[in-house]
Amino acid sequence: MKLSNDEKNLIADHVAVFAMKMILSAGSSEDQIHSELDHFYQFLCGAFEAAKRDARREAMTTTTN
């Protein structure tokens, strides 16, 4: 199952914001940098969890048809 253009744009936006924050936080404290990394990590985990749920749902639909 491919991502829609809206989904691709959402991911691209989050990656761009993350990259910008990491560049801007280069002079920040280590805690601030870790906070940004953790925030982005949570976003990626959420995206992968949603993909996993969708894959399971699709597999169940396919096997019951």
Side-chain angles (χ1 to χ4, degrees):
M1 183 171 173
K2 293 187 177 189
L3 296 175
S4 71
N5 285 337
D6 288 340
E7 291 166 328
K8 288 178 184 178
N9 288 335
L10 175 65
I11 292 169
D13 288 346
H14 279 281
V15 170
V17 168
F18 168 73
M20 183 175 47
K21 285 182 177 181
M22 289 307 296
I23 289 168
L24 294 174
S25 68
S28 299
S29 70
E30 189 173 330
D31 288 339
Q32 179 63 28
I33 293 170
H34 283 286
S35 175
E36 292 299 335
L37 286 169
D38 188 53
H39 181 73
F40 189 63
Y41 171 76
Q42 293 301 325
F43 164 74
L44 285 179
C45 285
F48 290 136
E49 287 169 2
K52 188 175 180 180
R53 279 192 306 272
D54 289 346
R56 285 184 180 162
R57 190 177 311 120
E58 177 117 359
M60 290 178 67
T61 302
T62 301
T63 57
T64 57
N65 285 336

